[in-house]
Coordinates of all heavy atoms in Angstrom, one line a residue:
M28 N -132.7 77.0 30.7 CA -133.5 75.8 30.3 C -132.6 74.6 30.2 O -131.6 74.7 29.5 CB -134.3 76.1 29.0 CG -135.1 75.0 28.5 SD -136.0 75.6 27.1 CE -136.5 74.2 26.5
T29 N -132.9 73.6 30.8 CA -132.1 72.4 30.8 C -132.9 71.3 30.0 O -134.1 71.3 29.9 CB -131.8 71.8 32.2 OG1 -133.1 71.5 32.8 CG2 -131.1 72.8 33.0
I30 N -132.1 70.5 29.3 CA -132.6 69.4 28.5 C -132.4 68.1 29.2 O -131.3 67.8 29.5 CB -132.0 69.3 27.1 CG1 -132.3 70.6 26.4 CG2 -132.5 68.2 26.3 CD1 -131.6 70.7 25.0
N31 N -133.4 67.4 29.6 CA -133.3 66.1 30.3 C -133.7 65.0 29.3 O -134.8 64.9 28.9 CB -134.3 66.1 31.5 CG -133.9 67.1 32.5 OD1 -132.7 67.4 32.7 ND2 -134.9 67.6 33.3
L32 N -132.7 64.2 29.0 CA -132.9 63.1 28.1 C -132.6 61.8 28.8 O -131.6 61.7 29.6 CB -132.0 63.2 26.8 CG -132.2 64.4 25.9 CD1 -131.1 64.4 24.8 CD2 -133.6 64.3 25.3
T33 N -133.4 60.8 28.6 CA -133.1 59.5 29.2 C -132.1 58.8 28.3 O -131.8 59.1 27.2 CB -134.4 58.7 29.2 OG1 -134.8 58.4 27.9 CG2 -135.5 59.4 30.0
P34 N -131.4 57.8 28.9 CA -130.4 57.0 28.2 C -131.0 56.4 26.9 O -130.4 56.3 25.9 CB -129.9 56.0 29.1 CG -130.1 56.6 30.5 CD -131.4 57.5 30.3
T35 N -132.3 56.0 27.0 CA -133.0 55.4 25.9 C -133.1 56.4 24.7 O -132.9 56.1 23.5 CB -134.4 54.9 26.3 OG1 -134.2 54.0 27.4 CG2 -135.0 54.1 25.1
Q36 N -133.5 57.6 25.0 CA -133.6 58.7 24.0 C -132.3 59.0 23.4 O -132.2 59.2 22.2 CB -134.2 59.9 24.6 CG -135.7 59.8 25.0 CD -136.2 60.9 25.8 OE1 -135.4 61.6 26.5 NE2 -137.5 61.2 25.7
I37 N -131.2 59.0 24.2 CA -129.9 59.3 23.6 C -129.4 58.2 22.7 O -128.9 58.4 21.6 CB -128.8 59.5 24.8 CG1 -129.2 60.8 25.5 CG2 -127.4 59.6 24.2 CD1 -128.3 61.0 26.8
L38 N -129.7 56.9 23.1 CA -129.3 55.8 22.3 C -130.1 55.8 21.0 O -129.6 55.5 19.9 CB -129.6 54.5 23.1 CG -129.1 53.2 22.5 CD1 -127.6 53.3 22.3 CD2 -129.4 52.0 23.4
A39 N -131.4 56.1 21.1 CA -132.2 56.2 19.9 C -131.7 57.3 18.9 O -131.7 57.1 17.7 CB -133.7 56.4 20.3
A40 N -131.3 58.4 19.5 CA -130.8 59.5 18.6 C -129.5 59.1 17.9 O -129.3 59.4 16.8 CB -130.6 60.8 19.5
V41 N -128.6 58.5 18.7 CA -127.3 58.0 18.1 C -127.6 56.9 17.0 O -127.0 56.9 16.0 CB -126.4 57.4 19.2 CG1 -125.2 56.7 18.6 CG2 -125.9 58.5 20.1
G42 N -128.6 56.1 17.3 CA -129.0 55.0 16.3 C -129.5 55.7 15.0 O -129.1 55.2 13.9
V43 N -130.3 56.7 15.1 CA -130.8 57.4 13.9 C -129.7 58.1 13.2 O -129.7 58.0 11.9 CB -131.9 58.4 14.4 CG1 -132.2 59.4 13.2 CG2 -133.2 57.7 14.9
V44 N -128.8 58.7 13.9 CA -127.6 59.3 13.2 C -126.8 58.3 12.5 O -126.4 58.5 11.3 CB -126.8 60.1 14.2 CG1 -125.5 60.6 13.6 CG2 -127.6 61.3 14.7
V45 N -126.5 57.1 13.1 CA -125.8 56.1 12.5 C -126.5 55.6 11.2 O -125.8 55.3 10.2 CB -125.5 54.9 13.5 CG1 -124.9 53.7 12.8 CG2 -124.5 55.4 14.5
V46 N -127.8 55.3 11.3 CA -128.5 54.8 10.1 C -128.5 55.9 9.0 O -128.3 55.5 7.8 CB -130.0 54.5 10.6 CG1 -130.8 54.2 9.3 CG2 -130.0 53.2 11.4
L47 N -128.7 57.1 9.3 CA -128.6 58.2 8.3 C -127.3 58.2 7.6 O -127.2 58.3 6.4 CB -129.0 59.5 8.9 CG -130.4 59.8 9.3 CD1 -130.6 61.1 10.0 CD2 -131.3 59.7 8.0
L48 N -126.2 58.1 8.4 CA -124.8 58.1 7.8 C -124.6 56.9 6.9 O -124.0 56.9 5.8 CB -123.8 58.1 8.9 CG -123.6 59.5 9.6 CD1 -122.6 59.4 10.8 CD2 -123.1 60.5 8.6
W49 N -125.1 55.7 7.4 CA -125.0 54.5 6.6 C -125.8 54.6 5.3 O -125.2 54.2 4.2 CB -125.5 53.3 7.4 CG -125.5 52.0 6.7 CD1 -124.4 51.3 6.4 CD2 -126.6 51.3 6.3 NE1 -124.7 50.2 5.7 CE2 -126.1 50.1 5.7 CE3 -128.0 51.4 6.3 CZ2 -126.9 49.1 5.1 CZ3 -128.8 50.5 5.8 CH2 -128.3 49.3 5.2
V50 N -127.0 55.1 5.3 CA -127.8 55.3 4.1 C -127.1 56.3 3.1 O -127.0 56.1 1.9 CB -129.2 55.7 4.4 CG1 -130.0 56.2 3.2 CG2 -130.0 54.6 5.1
W51 N -126.6 57.4 3.7 CA -125.9 58.4 2.9 C -124.6 57.8 2.2 O -124.4 58.0 1.0 CB -125.5 59.6 3.8 CG -124.7 60.6 3.0 CD1 -125.1 61.4 2.1 CD2 -123.3 60.9 3.2 NE1 -124.1 62.3 1.6 CE2 -123.0 62.0 2.4 CE3 -122.3 60.4 4.1 CZ2 -121.7 62.5 2.3 CZ3 -121.1 61.0 4.0 CH2 -120.8 62.0 3.1
R52 N -123.8 57.0 2.9 CA -122.7 56.4 2.3 C -123.0 55.4 1.3 O -122.4 55.3 0.2 CB -121.8 55.7 3.4 CG -121.0 56.7 4.2 CD -120.1 55.9 5.2 NE -119.3 54.9 4.5 CZ -118.0 54.9 4.4 NH1 -117.3 55.8 5.0 NH2 -117.4 53.9 3.8
A53 N -124.1 54.6 1.5 CA -124.5 53.6 0.5 C -125.0 54.3 -0.8 O -124.7 53.8 -1.9 CB -125.6 52.7 1.1
S54 N -125.8 55.4 -0.6 CA -126.2 56.1 -1.8 C -125.1 56.7 -2.6 O -125.1 56.8 -3.8 CB -127.3 57.1 -1.4 OG -126.7 58.1 -0.7
A55 N -124.1 57.2 -1.8 CA -122.9 57.8 -2.5 C -122.1 56.7 -3.3 O -121.7 57.0 -4.4 CB -122.0 58.5 -1.4
R56 N -122.0 55.6 -2.7 CA -121.3 54.5 -3.4 C -122.1 54.1 -4.7 O -121.5 53.8 -5.7 CB -121.2 53.3 -2.5 CG -120.1 53.4 -1.5 CD -119.9 52.2 -0.6 NE -118.9 52.4 0.4 CZ -118.9 51.7 1.5 NH1 -119.8 50.8 1.8 NH2 -118.0 52.0 2.4
R57 N -123.4 54.0 -4.5 CA -124.2 53.6 -5.7 C -124.1 54.7 -6.8 O -124.0 54.4 -8.0 CB -125.7 53.4 -5.3 CG -126.0 52.0 -5.0 CD -127.5 51.8 -4.8 NE -127.7 51.6 -3.4 CZ -128.4 52.4 -2.6 NH1 -129.1 53.4 -3.1 NH2 -128.5 52.2 -1.3
A58 N -124.1 55.9 -6.4 CA -124.0 57.0 -7.4 C -122.6 57.0 -8.0 O -122.5 57.2 -9.3 CB -124.2 58.4 -6.7
K59 N -121.6 56.7 -7.3 CA -120.2 56.6 -7.8 C -120.1 55.4 -8.8 O -119.5 55.5 -9.9 CB -119.2 56.4 -6.7 CG -117.8 56.5 -7.1 CD -116.9 56.5 -5.9 CE -115.4 56.7 -6.3 NZ -114.5 56.6 -5.1
A60 N -120.7 54.3 -8.5 CA -120.7 53.1 -9.4 C -121.5 53.4 -10.6 O -121.0 53.0 -11.7 CB -121.3 51.9 -8.7
A61 N -122.6 54.1 -10.5 CA -123.4 54.4 -11.7 C -122.6 55.4 -12.6 O -122.6 55.3 -13.9 CB -124.7 55.1 -11.3
A62 N -121.9 56.4 -12.0 CA -121.1 57.3 -12.8 C -120.0 56.6 -13.5 O -119.7 56.9 -14.7 CB -120.6 58.5 -11.9
S63 N -119.4 55.7 -12.8 CA -118.3 55.0 -13.4 C -118.7 54.1 -14.6 O -118.1 54.1 -15.6 CB -117.6 54.1 -12.4 OG -116.6 53.3 -12.9
A64 N -119.9 53.5 -14.4 CA -120.5 52.7 -15.5 C -120.8 53.6 -16.7 O -120.6 53.2 -17.9 CB -121.7 51.9 -15.0
A65 N -121.3 54.7 -16.4 CA -121.7 55.6 -17.5 C -120.5 56.1 -18.3 O -120.5 56.2 -19.5 CB -122.5 56.8 -17.0
R66 N -119.4 56.4 -17.5 CA -118.1 56.8 -18.2 C -117.6 55.7 -19.1 O -117.1 55.9 -20.2 CB -117.1 57.3 -17.2 CG -117.3 58.7 -16.7 CD -116.1 59.2 -15.9 NE -115.8 58.3 -14.8 CZ -116.3 58.5 -13.6 NH1 -117.1 59.4 -13.3 NH2 -115.9 57.7 -12.6
A67 N -117.6 54.5 -18.5 CA -117.1 53.3 -19.3 C -117.9 53.1 -20.6 O -117.4 52.9 -21.6 CB -117.1 52.1 -18.4
G68 N -119.2 53.3 -20.5 CA -120.1 53.1 -21.6 C -119.8 54.2 -22.7 O -119.8 54.0 -23.9
A69 N -119.6 55.4 -22.2 CA -119.3 56.6 -23.1 C -118.0 56.4 -23.8 O -117.9 56.6 -25.0 CB -119.3 57.9 -22.3
R70 N -117.0 55.9 -23.0 CA -115.7 55.6 -23.7 C -115.8 54.5 -24.7 O -115.2 54.6 -25.8 CB -114.7 55.2 -22.6 CG -114.1 56.3 -21.8 CD -112.9 55.8 -21.0 NE -113.2 54.8 -20.1 CZ -113.4 54.9 -18.8 NH1 -113.4 56.1 -18.3 NH2 -113.7 53.9 -18.0
L71 N -116.6 53.5 -24.5 CA -116.8 52.4 -25.4 C -117.5 52.9 -26.7 O -117.1 52.6 -27.8 CB -117.6 51.2 -24.8 CG -117.9 50.1 -25.8 CD1 -116.6 49.4 -26.2 CD2 -118.7 49.1 -25.1
L72 N -118.5 53.8 -26.5 CA -119.2 54.3 -27.6 C -118.4 55.3 -28.4 O -118.4 55.2 -29.6 CB -120.5 55.1 -27.1 CG -121.4 55.6 -28.2 CD1 -121.9 54.5 -29.0 CD2 -122.5 56.4 -27.5
S73 N -117.5 56.0 -27.7 CA -116.6 56.9 -28.4 C -115.6 56.2 -29.2 O -115.3 56.5 -30.3 CB -115.9 57.8 -27.4 OG -115.0 58.6 -28.0
L74 N -115.0 55.1 -28.6 CA -114.1 54.3 -29.3 C -114.7 53.6 -30.5 O -114.1 53.6 -31.6 CB -113.5 53.2 -28.4 CG -112.5 52.3 -29.0 CD1 -111.3 53.0 -29.5 CD2 -112.1 51.2 -28.0
T75 N -115.9 53.1 -30.4 CA -116.6 52.5 -31.5 C -116.9 53.4 -32.6 O -116.7 53.1 -33.8 CB -118.0 51.9 -31.0 OG1 -117.7 51.0 -29.9 CG2 -118.7 51.1 -32.1
G76 N -117.3 54.6 -32.3 CA -117.5 55.7 -33.3 C -116.2 56.0 -34.0 O -116.2 56.1 -35.3
R77 N -115.1 56.2 -33.3 CA -113.8 56.5 -34.0 C -113.4 55.3 -34.9 O -112.9 55.5 -36.0 CB -112.8 56.8 -33.0 CG -113.0 58.2 -32.4 CD -111.9 58.5 -31.4 NE -112.2 57.8 -30.2 CZ -111.4 57.7 -29.1 NH1 -110.3 58.3 -29.1 NH2 -111.8 57.1 -28.0
V78 N -113.6 54.1 -34.4 CA -113.2 52.9 -35.2 C -114.0 52.9 -36.5 O -113.5 52.7 -37.6 CB -113.3 51.6 -34.4 CG1 -113.2 50.4 -35.3 CG2 -112.2 51.6 -33.3
L79 N -115.3 53.1 -36.3 CA -116.2 53.0 -37.5 C -115.9 54.1 -38.5 O -115.9 53.9 -39.7 CB -117.6 53.1 -37.1 CG -118.2 51.8 -36.4 CD1 -119.6 52.0 -35.9 CD2 -118.1 50.6 -37.3
L80 N -115.6 55.3 -38.0 CA -115.2 56.5 -38.9 C -113.9 56.2 -39.6 O -113.8 56.4 -40.8 CB -115.1 57.7 -38.0 CG -114.8 59.0 -38.8 CD1 -116.0 59.4 -39.6 CD2 -114.4 60.1 -37.9
M81 N -112.9 55.7 -38.9 CA -111.6 55.4 -39.6 C -111.8 54.2 -40.6 O -111.2 54.3 -41.7 CB -110.5 55.1 -38.6 CG -110.0 56.3 -37.8 SD -109.5 57.6 -38.9 CE -108.2 56.8 -39.8
A82 N -112.6 53.2 -40.2 CA -112.8 52.1 -41.2 C -113.5 52.6 -42.4 O -113.2 52.2 -43.5 CB -113.6 51.0 -40.5
G83 N -114.5 53.5 -42.2 CA -115.2 54.1 -43.4 C -114.3 54.9 -44.3 O -114.4 54.8 -45.5
A84 N -113.4 55.6 -43.7 CA -112.4 56.4 -44.5 C -111.5 55.5 -45.2 O -111.2 55.8 -46.4 CB -111.6 57.3 -43.5
I85 N -111.0 54.5 -44.6 CA -110.1 53.5 -45.3 C -110.8 52.8 -46.4 O -110.3 52.7 -47.6 CB -109.5 52.5 -44.3 CG1 -108.5 53.2 -43.3 CG2 -108.8 51.4 -45.0 CD1 -108.1 52.4 -42.2
V86 N -112.0 52.4 -46.2 CA -112.8 51.7 -47.2 C -113.1 52.6 -48.4 O -113.0 52.3 -49.5 CB -114.1 51.1 -46.6 CG1 -115.0 50.6 -47.7 CG2 -113.7 49.9 -45.7
G87 N -113.4 53.9 -48.0 CA -113.7 54.9 -49.1 C -112.5 55.1 -50.0 O -112.6 55.2 -51.2
V88 N -111.3 55.3 -49.4 CA -110.1 55.5 -50.2 C -109.8 54.3 -51.0 O -109.5 54.4 -52.2 CB -108.9 55.9 -49.3 CG1 -107.6 55.9 -50.1 CG2 -109.1 57.3 -48.7
Q89 N -109.9 53.1 -50.4 CA -109.7 51.9 -51.2 C -110.7 51.7 -52.3 O -110.3 51.3 -53.5 CB -109.8 50.7 -50.3 CG -108.6 50.5 -49.3 CD -108.8 49.4 -48.3 OE1 -109.9 48.9 -48.1 NE2 -107.7 49.0 -47.8
W90 N -111.9 52.1 -52.1 CA -112.9 51.9 -53.2 C -112.6 52.9 -54.3 O -112.7 52.5 -55.5 CB -114.3 52.3 -52.6 CG -115.4 52.2 -53.6 CD1 -116.0 51.0 -54.1 CD2 -116.0 53.3 -54.3 NE1 -116.9 51.4 -55.0 CE2 -117.0 52.7 -55.1 CE3 -115.8 54.6 -54.2 CZ2 -117.8 53.5 -56.0 CZ3 -116.6 55.4 -55.0 CH2 -117.6 54.9 -55.9
V91 N -112.2 54.1 -54.0 CA -111.9 55.1 -55.1 C -110.7 54.6 -55.9 O -110.7 54.6 -57.1 CB -111.5 56.5 -54.5 CG1 -110.9 57.4 -55.5 CG2 -112.8 57.1 -54.0
V92 N -109.6 54.0 -55.2 CA -108.5 53.6 -56.0 C -108.8 52.3 -56.8 O -108.3 52.2 -57.9 CB -107.3 53.3 -55.0 CG1 -106.2 52.6 -55.7 CG2 -106.8 54.6 -54.4
I93 N -109.6 51.4 -56.2 CA -109.9 50.2 -57.0 C -110.8 50.5 -58.2 O -110.7 49.9 -59.2 CB -110.6 49.2 -56.0 CG1 -109.5 48.7 -55.0 CG2 -111.2 48.0 -56.8 CD1 -110.1 47.8 -53.9
T94 N -111.8 51.4 -58.0 CA -112.7 51.6 -59.1 C -112.1 52.5 -60.2 O -112.7 52.6 -61.3 CB -114.0 52.3 -58.6 OG1 -113.7 53.5 -57.9 CG2 -114.8 51.4 -57.7
H95 N -111.0 53.2 -60.0 CA -110.3 53.9 -61.0 C -108.9 53.4 -61.2 O -107.9 53.9 -60.7 CB -110.2 55.4 -60.6 CG -111.5 56.1 -60.5 ND1 -112.3 56.1 -59.3 CD2 -112.3 56.7 -61.4 CE1 -113.4 56.7 -59.5 NE2 -113.4 57.1 -60.8
P96 N -108.8 52.2 -61.9 CA -107.5 51.6 -62.0 C -106.5 52.4 -62.8 O -106.9 53.2 -63.6 CB -107.9 50.2 -62.7 CG -109.1 50.5 -63.4 CD -109.8 51.6 -62.6
G97 N -105.3 52.1 -62.6 CA -104.3 52.8 -63.4 C -102.9 52.6 -62.8 O -102.0 52.2 -63.6
D98 N -102.7 52.8 -61.6 CA -101.4 52.8 -60.9 C -101.4 51.6 -60.0 O -102.0 51.6 -58.9 CB -101.1 54.1 -60.2 CG -99.6 54.1 -59.7 OD1 -98.9 53.2 -60.1 OD2 -99.3 55.1 -59.0
T99 N -100.6 50.6 -60.4 CA -100.5 49.3 -59.5 C -99.9 49.6 -58.2 O -100.3 49.1 -57.2 CB -99.8 48.2 -60.3 OG1 -100.4 48.1 -61.6 CG2 -99.8 46.9 -59.6
T100 N -98.9 50.5 -58.2 CA -98.2 50.8 -56.9 C -99.1 51.4 -55.9 O -99.1 51.1 -54.7 CB -97.0 51.7 -57.2 OG1 -96.1 51.1 -58.2 CG2 -96.2 51.9 -55.9
L101 N -99.9 52.4 -56.4 CA -100.9 53.1 -55.6 C -101.9 52.0 -55.0 O -102.3 52.1 -53.8 CB -101.6 54.2 -56.3 CG -102.6 54.9 -55.5 CD1 -102.0 55.7 -54.4 CD2 -103.4 55.9 -56.5
L102 N -102.3 51.1 -55.9 CA -103.3 50.1 -55.4 C -102.6 49.2 -54.3 O -103.3 49.0 -53.3 CB -103.7 49.2 -56.6 CG -104.6 48.0 -56.3 CD1 -106.0 48.6 -55.8 CD2 -104.8 47.1 -57.5
L103 N -101.4 48.8 -54.5 CA -100.7 48.0 -53.5 C -100.5 48.8 -52.1 O -100.7 48.2 -51.1 CB -99.4 47.5 -54.0 CG -99.5 46.5 -55.1 CD1 -98.1 46.1 -55.6 CD2 -100.2 45.2 -54.7
V104 N -100.2 50.0 -52.2 CA -100.1 50.9 -51.0 C -101.4 51.0 -50.3 O -101.5 50.9 -49.1 CB -99.4 52.2 -51.4 CG1 -99.5 53.2 -50.2 CG2 -98.0 52.1 -51.8
V105 N -102.4 51.3 -51.1 CA -103.7 51.6 -50.5 C -104.3 50.3 -49.8 O -105.0 50.4 -48.8 CB -104.7 52.1 -51.5 CG1 -106.2 52.1 -51.0 CG2 -104.3 53.5 -51.9
L106 N -104.0 49.1 -50.4 CA -104.5 47.9 -49.8 C -103.5 47.4 -48.7 O -103.9 46.8 -47.7 CB -104.7 46.8 -50.9 CG -105.8 47.1 -51.9 CD1 -105.8 46.0 -52.9 CD2 -107.1 47.2 -51.2
G107 N -102.2 47.6 -48.9 CA -101.2 47.0 -48.0 C -101.0 47.8 -46.7 O -100.8 47.2 -45.6
L108 N -101.1 49.1 -46.7 CA -100.8 49.9 -45.5 C -101.9 49.6 -44.4 O -101.4 49.4 -43.3 CB -100.8 51.4 -45.9 CG -100.2 52.3 -44.9 CD1 -98.8 52.0 -44.6 CD2 -100.3 53.8 -45.4
P109 N -103.2 49.6 -44.7 CA -104.1 49.3 -43.6 C -103.9 47.8 -43.1 O -104.1 47.5 -41.9 CB -105.5 49.4 -44.3 CG -105.3 50.4 -45.4 CD -103.9 50.1 -45.9
A110 N -103.5 46.9 -44.0 CA -103.2 45.6 -43.6 C -102.0 45.5 -42.6 O -102.1 44.7 -41.7 CB -103.0 44.7 -44.8
L111 N -101.0 46.3 -42.9 CA -99.9 46.3 -42.0 C -100.3 46.9 -40.6 O -99.9 46.3 -39.6 CB -98.8 47.2 -42.5 CG -98.0 46.6 -43.7 CD1 -97.0 47.6 -44.3 CD2 -97.2 45.4 -43.2
F112 N -101.1 47.9 -40.6 CA -101.5 48.5 -39.3 C -102.4 47.4 -38.5 O -102.3 47.3 -37.3 CB -102.3 49.8 -39.5 CG -101.5 50.9 -39.7 CD1 -101.6 51.7 -40.9 CD2 -100.5 51.3 -38.8 CE1 -100.8 52.8 -41.2 CE2 -99.7 52.4 -39.0 CZ -99.8 53.1 -40.2
A113 N -103.3 46.8 -39.3 CA -104.1 45.8 -38.6 C -103.3 44.6 -38.1 O -103.6 44.1 -37.0 CB -105.2 45.3 -39.6
A114 N -102.3 44.1 -38.9 CA -101.5 43.0 -38.5 C -100.7 43.4 -37.2 O -100.6 42.6 -36.3 CB -100.5 42.6 -39.6
Y115 N -100.2 44.6 -37.2 CA -99.4 45.1 -36.0 C -100.3 45.1 -34.8 O -99.9 44.6 -33.7 CB -98.8 46.5 -36.3 CG -98.2 47.1 -35.0 CD1 -96.9 46.7 -34.6 CD2 -98.9 48.0 -34.3 CE1 -96.4 47.2 -33.5 CE2 -98.3 48.6 -33.2 CZ -97.1 48.2 -32.8 OH -96.5 48.7 -31.6
T116 N -101.5 45.7 -34.9 CA -102.4 45.8 -33.8 C -102.8 44.4 -33.3 O -102.9 44.1 -32.1 CB -103.7 46.6 -34.2 OG1 -103.2 47.8 -34.7 CG2 -104.6 46.8 -33.0
L117 N -103.2 43.5 -34.2 CA -103.6 42.1 -33.8 C -102.4 41.4 -33.2 O -102.6 40.7 -32.2 CB -104.2 41.4 -35.0 CG -105.6 41.8 -35.4 CD1 -105.9 41.1 -36.7 CD2 -106.5 41.4 -34.3
T118 N -101.3 41.5 -33.7 CA -100.1 40.8 -33.2 C -99.8 41.3 -31.8 O -99.6 40.5 -30.9 CB -98.9 41.0 -34.1 OG1 -99.2 40.5 -35.4 CG2 -97.7 40.2 -33.5
K119 N -99.9 42.6 -31.6 CA -99.6 43.2 -30.2 C -100.7 42.7 -29.3 O -100.4 42.4 -28.1 CB -99.6 44.7 -30.4 CG -99.1 45.4 -29.1 CD -98.9 46.9 -29.4 CE -98.4 47.5 -28.1 NZ -98.2 49.0 -28.3
A120 N -102.0 42.7 -29.7 CA -103.1 42.3 -28.8 C -103.0 40.9 -28.4 O -103.4 40.5 -27.3 CB -104.4 42.7 -29.4
L121 N -102.6 40.0 -29.3 CA -102.6 38.6 -29.1 C -101.3 38.0 -28.6 O -101.2 36.8 -28.3 CB -103.0 37.9 -30.4 CG -104.4 38.2 -30.9 CD1 -104.6 37.5 -32.3 CD2 -105.5 37.9 -29.9
T122 N -100.3 38.8 -28.5 CA -99.0 38.3 -27.9 C -99.1 38.3 -26.4 O -99.4 39.3 -25.8 CB -97.9 39.2 -28.4 OG1 -97.8 39.2 -29.8 CG2 -96.5 38.7 -27.9
I123 N -98.7 37.2 -25.8 CA -98.7 37.1 -24.4 C -97.4 37.5 -23.9 O -96.3 37.0 -24.2 CB -99.0 35.7 -23.9 CG1 -100.4 35.3 -24.4 CG2 -98.9 35.5 -22.4 CD1 -100.8 33.8 -24.2
T124 N -97.3 38.5 -23.0 CA -96.1 38.9 -22.4 C -96.2 38.8 -20.9 O -97.3 38.9 -20.3 CB -95.8 40.4 -22.7 OG1 -96.8 41.2 -22.3 CG2 -95.6 40.6 -24.2
T125 N -95.1 38.6 -20.2 CA -95.0 38.5 -18.8 C -94.1 39.6 -18.3 O -93.1 40.0 -19.0 CB -94.6 37.2 -18.3 OG1 -93.3 36.9 -18.8 CG2 -95.5 36.1 -18.7
H126 N -94.4 40.0 -17.1 CA -93.5 41.0 -16.5 C -93.1 40.5 -15.1 O -93.9 40.2 -14.3 CB -94.2 42.4 -16.3 CG -93.4 43.4 -15.5 ND1 -92.3 43.9 -16.0 CD2 -93.5 43.8 -14.3 CE1 -91.8 44.8 -15.1 NE2 -92.5 44.7 -14.0
E127 N -91.8 40.3 -15.0 CA -91.3 39.8 -13.7 C -90.6 41.0 -13.0 O -89.7 41.6 -13.5 CB -90.3 38.7 -13.9 CG -90.9 37.5 -14.5 CD -89.9 36.4 -14.7 OE1 -88.8 36.4 -14.1 OE2 -90.2 35.4 -15.4
G128 N -91.1 41.4 -11.9 CA -90.6 42.5 -11.1 C -89.3 42.1 -10.5 O -88.8 41.0 -10.6
P129 N -88.7 43.1 -9.8 CA -87.4 42.8 -9.1 C -87.6 41.7 -8.0 O -88.6 41.7 -7.4 CB -87.0 44.1 -8.5 CG -88.2 44.9 -8.5 CD -89.1 44.4 -9.6
R130 N -86.6 40.9 -7.9 CA -86.7 39.8 -6.9 C -86.4 40.4 -5.5 O -85.5 41.2 -5.4 CB -85.7 38.7 -7.2 CG -86.1 37.9 -8.4 CD -85.2 36.7 -8.6 NE -83.9 37.2 -9.1 CZ -82.8 36.5 -9.1 NH1 -82.8 35.3 -8.6 NH2 -81.7 37.0 -9.5
G131 N -87.1 39.9 -4.5 CA -86.8 40.3 -3.2 C -85.6 39.4 -2.6 O -85.1 38.5 -3.3
R132 N -85.2 39.7 -1.4 CA -84.1 39.0 -0.8 C -84.5 37.5 -0.5 O -85.6 37.3 0.0 CB -83.7 39.6 0.5 CG -83.1 41.0 0.3 CD -82.6 41.6 1.5 NE -81.4 40.9 2.0 CZ -80.8 41.2 3.1 NH1 -81.3 42.1 3.9 NH2 -79.7 40.5 3.5
G133 N -83.8 36.6 -1.0 CA -84.0 35.2 -0.7 C -85.0 34.6 -1.6 O -85.3 33.4 -1.5
E134 N -85.6 35.3 -2.6 CA -86.6 34.7 -3.5 C -85.8 34.0 -4.7 O -84.8 34.4 -5.2 CB -87.5 35.7 -4.1 CG -88.5 36.2 -3.1 CD -89.5 37.2 -3.8 OE1 -89.6 37.1 -5.0 OE2 -90.1 38.0 -3.0
R135 N -86.4 32.8 -5.0 CA -85.9 32.1 -6.2 C -86.7 32.4 -7.4 O -87.8 32.7 -7.4 CB -85.9 30.6 -5.9 CG -85.0 30.1 -4.9 CD -85.2 28.6 -4.8 NE -84.2 28.0 -4.0 CZ -84.1 26.8 -3.7 NH1 -85.0 26.0 -4.2 NH2 -83.1 26.3 -2.9
R136 N -86.0 32.1 -8.5 CA -86.7 32.3 -9.8 C -87.3 31.0 -10.2 O -86.8 29.9 -10.2 CB -85.8 32.8 -10.9 CG -85.9 34.3 -10.9 CD -85.5 34.8 -12.3 NE -85.9 36.2 -12.2 CZ -85.5 37.0 -13.1 NH1 -84.7 36.7 -14.0 NH2 -85.9 38.2 -13.0

């Protein structure tokens, strides 16, 4: 049994295959972008939860020490240590640094 196809039918079949491949790739890209966005959202939510948990723990310890006065050194440590961590983090985040890679041949600084 032989299959006789006209050039128009062959061209139509190739066109259908190309369109199917194009749709498949586009849907794969959309799915990849959606998965990436979901991971970014989950990371942000996870980070927010950890920050809130640690902030609650710090505030709780500070509240206990402040409401039960007695040791001034303990009060200064409980209030000062989180302030040091916060200052370090903010200073690091707000400091502008530049990185200059190795110079190529003939490049000026």
